[in-house]
Amino acid sequence: MDSLEILVEKSEIPFGIIKFLLCLFSLLPLSLFYKIVPVGRSRELYSIISGTYLTFIGYGFAGLENLIISPLVTYLLLLILPRSSCALWISGFCFAHLIVCHVVNASGASWSEGNIDFTGSQMVLVLKCVAVAFNYQDGTISKSEMTSHQTATHLTSLPSLPAFLAYMTDPTTVLIGPFLEYKHYNNFIHNKGVYDPLAKSLRPASSWLPSFLTTFFFTLLYLALHTYLMRAFPYSLITTPEWLQAPMWRKLALAFIVVIGQRFKYYFSWNLTYAGLKLSGQAWAGPQEGWVRGLNVRPMKVELATSSADYPIHWNICTGNWLRHYVYTRQQGPKQSPGFRALIVTQTVSGVWHGLYPGYWLFFLSSALMLQGSRWMYKMTAGAPVTVQPVLTFIHGVLSAIQLNYLALSFLLLDFGSTVQTWRELYFIGHA
């Protein structure tokens, strides 16, 4: 019996999760190694080799074989399609391929059972491929018509194939993200912009080490909290007869603990990759912003939010930025404000990206209504007397927490019938 099998036996954690955890922690030394690899083509080759090897260890040859399809086809389409319309075609292909992968691998159910497959990494690759396609297409419009984001991210020419593949396979982000813009990554590879060691005014005034150690400490804390809560309050708890027979207040409390315990899994994962970005140096965004690039979640802001509108700002931040810049703001003209239709389209795209399980669709479509209701509550609070506003803000925060944790049950259960039955047991309190 090898050491990995002993670890599986003693921890009672599935083999797939143990192996994936080891891969996740491996991204830390791989990220640190960027510091000694020469800039330019050497870093690109290092990214391709190390990222490919990491995905091979995590998913095997079959997973690697599936993952390479979307980047290679995307690059081929960038070469042959008209530049002014390539983004829509590439988006269609990438999402179609992702849907097939979700269906074939039954990824939602697989993840719920504690298994790991390549579709999580495939989701990150879709964001990168679509972003590059839009960046390349944006290079065809005049700068006077560009948004500030398009001005910062548009590409004047197609990246070379090694540069493109290096971006796709970056070992720090290839497994679970987060999404970073191509231009930012390319500047890091070539020591340009805020990464230029000669631009003293743009470089960090102090060492990256304290910032990394702080992030890594919380990473381990979130892992410990998730492990404890997962064992004490597994998500299967909310389908047991004991839960069904409990009084309403106890059902609600237990459901919320289950959901919060599952959220710690994401806090751990995203903080680990954020720590890796600090190790490599990619997290540096300039003297004004600091070490914020790749920051994907602010746990305290999520748990203590005063409005539902705060959740997209502080949860899965990088994916939220992708949805805003590549879906939400592109539903109307450059000088028009996105409306409820744009919100519905964005939430639908987000649902498709996660998978086709009814639980995802129930969450994202219901959360669109939650966000719209939060806007109404915010306007009502802003128009209330100053002495009443703190009370209304507190009520708004409590209602937002109830709605979030209630709706998030669908993300765990996935099945339509189970989700609706569970919501019914809670008297559809989050939809009231």
Side-chain angles (χ1 to χ4, degrees):
M1 182 179 292
D2 60 28
S3 57
L4 190 56
E5 291 176 337
I6 294 173
L7 183 60
V8 170
E9 182 178 331
K10 290 189 174 181
S11 66
E12 298 181 355
I13 298 175
F15 174 81
I17 291 183
I18 291 289
K19 186 175 73 168
F20 194 71
L21 273 174
L22 293 175
C23 288
L24 281 178
F25 278 103
S26 296
L27 68 82
L28 295 179
L30 291 175
S31 299
L32 183 62
F33 202 68
Y34 266 123
K35 292 185 177 297
I36 63 174
V37 178
V39 300
R41 186 54 57 89
S42 296
R43 277 191 176 180
E44 290 174 353
L45 293 176
Y46 169 71
S47 179
I48 294 171
I49 294 170
S50 59
T52 301
Y53 179 74
L54 194 59
T55 52
F56 172 74
I57 296 299
Y59 309 121
F61 182 76
L64 181 61
E65 193 176 34
N66 279 280
L67 285 172
I68 201 64
I69 292 175
S70 53
L72 290 181
V73 173
T74 293
Y75 197 81
L76 177 63
L77 293 176
L78 288 170
L79 288 172
I80 64 177
L81 289 175
R83 184 174 179 180
S84 59
S85 59
C86 64
L88 185 61
W89 291 101
I90 289 172
S91 299
F93 163 75
C94 287
F95 272 91
H97 179 239
L98 178 62
I99 289 171
V100 171
C101 291
H102 274 313
V103 172
V104 170
N105 290 277
S107 56
S110 178
W111 297 342
S112 296
E113 293 169 1
N115 299 316
I116 300 294
D117 64 60
F118 68 88
T119 49
S121 296
Q122 183 65 43
M123 292 165 70
V124 179
L125 289 177
V126 166
L127 301 185
K128 291 183 177 183
C129 288
V130 172
V132 170
F134 273 108
N135 298 157
Y136 185 56
Q137 180 175 299
D138 289 341
T140 63
I141 63 180
S142 65
K143 289 191 176 182
S144 61
E145 297 177 350
M146 290 183 182
T147 65
S148 58
H149 176 261
Q150 289 173 317
T151 301
T153 60
H154 76 278
L155 297 174
T156 56
S157 61
L158 183 64
S160 67
L161 182 58
F164 178 79
L165 291 178
Y167 171 61
M168 295 293 155
T169 57
D170 170 32
T172 313
T173 62
V174 70
L175 292 179
I176 57 172
F179 164 76
L180 299 178
E181 297 286 358
Y182 171 77
K183 267 200 170 180
H184 295 154
Y185 177 76
N186 193 58
N187 284 344
F188 164 73
I189 289 294
H190 295 279
N191 276 1
K192 294 180 179 179
V194 297
Y195 305 108
D196 186 352
L198 300 179
K200 300 298 184 182
S201 62
L202 300 178
R203 301 302 297 147
S206 58
S207 171
W208 52 268
L209 187 58
S211 181
F212 161 75
L213 291 175
T214 301
T215 300
F216 189 60
F217 167 77
F218 281 103
T219 297
L220 298 179
L221 176 63
Y222 298 141
L223 176 60
L225 289 171
H226 168 65
T227 302
Y228 169 76
L229 290 174
M230 181 181 66
R231 291 178 181 276
F233 304 95
Y235 82 92
S236 57
L237 177 69
I238 55 180
T239 60
T240 61
E242 291 78 10
W243 185 82
L244 294 172
Q245 295 167 9
M248 172 64 176
W249 68 267
R250 182 170 173 80
K251 285 180 183 176
L252 204 59
L254 290 174
F256 283 13
I257 293 173
V258 167
V259 171
I260 292 170
Q262 292 295 319
R263 274 205 294 274
F264 278 117
K265 173 176 62 178
Y266 296 96
Y267 295 160
F268 154 70
S269 302
W270 290 335
N271 266 270
L272 182 61
T273 56
Y274 184 39
L277 291 169
K278 288 184 176 181
L279 277 177
S280 69
Q282 289 190 68
W284 180 248
Q288 293 184 339
E289 296 88 349
W291 296 95
V292 298
R293 185 158 290 148
L295 174 64
N296 209 31
V297 67
R298 300 183 183 94
M300 294 305 294
K301 296 285 188 181
V302 173
E303 301 303 334
L304 302 177
T306 58
S307 163
S308 296
D310 290 342
Y311 296 134
I313 298 173
H314 302 297
W315 171 267
N316 206 354
I317 299 168
C318 298
T319 301
N321 289 337
W322 185 92
L323 287 167
R324 180 167 66 254
H325 294 310
Y326 297 105
V327 182
Y328 185 64
T329 58
R330 294 179 185 257
Q331 298 302 307
Q332 68 292 309
K335 295 184 179 180
Q336 296 176 312
S337 298
F340 186 64
R341 174 185 170 276
L343 179 61
I344 290 293
V345 171
T346 303
Q347 294 298 87
T348 301
V349 170
S350 184
V352 172
W353 181 68
H354 282 85
L356 298 183
Y357 281 90
Y360 295 144
W361 290 85
L362 287 170
F363 175 84
F364 287 109
L365 293 178
S366 296
S367 64
L369 300 175
M370 176 182 72
L371 293 171
Q372 196 69 9
S374 184
R375 291 176 180 175
W376 174 83
M377 186 74 178
Y378 177 81
K379 291 179 180 178
M380 185 184 74
T381 302
V386 176
T387 54
V388 181
Q389 286 183 3
V391 177
L392 292 177
T393 299
F394 175 76
I395 294 173
H396 192 182
V398 172
L399 292 177
S400 296
I402 291 173
Q403 282 187 305
L404 174 67
N405 292 308
Y406 160 88
L407 293 178
L409 291 169
S410 65
F411 231 84
L412 301 179
L413 297 170
L414 297 178
D415 177 71
F416 180 85
S418 299
T419 299
V420 172
Q421 175 61 34
T422 302
W423 282 351
R424 183 183 292 116
E425 291 293 328
L426 298 175
Y427 298 100
F428 294 100
I429 190 172
H431 284 94

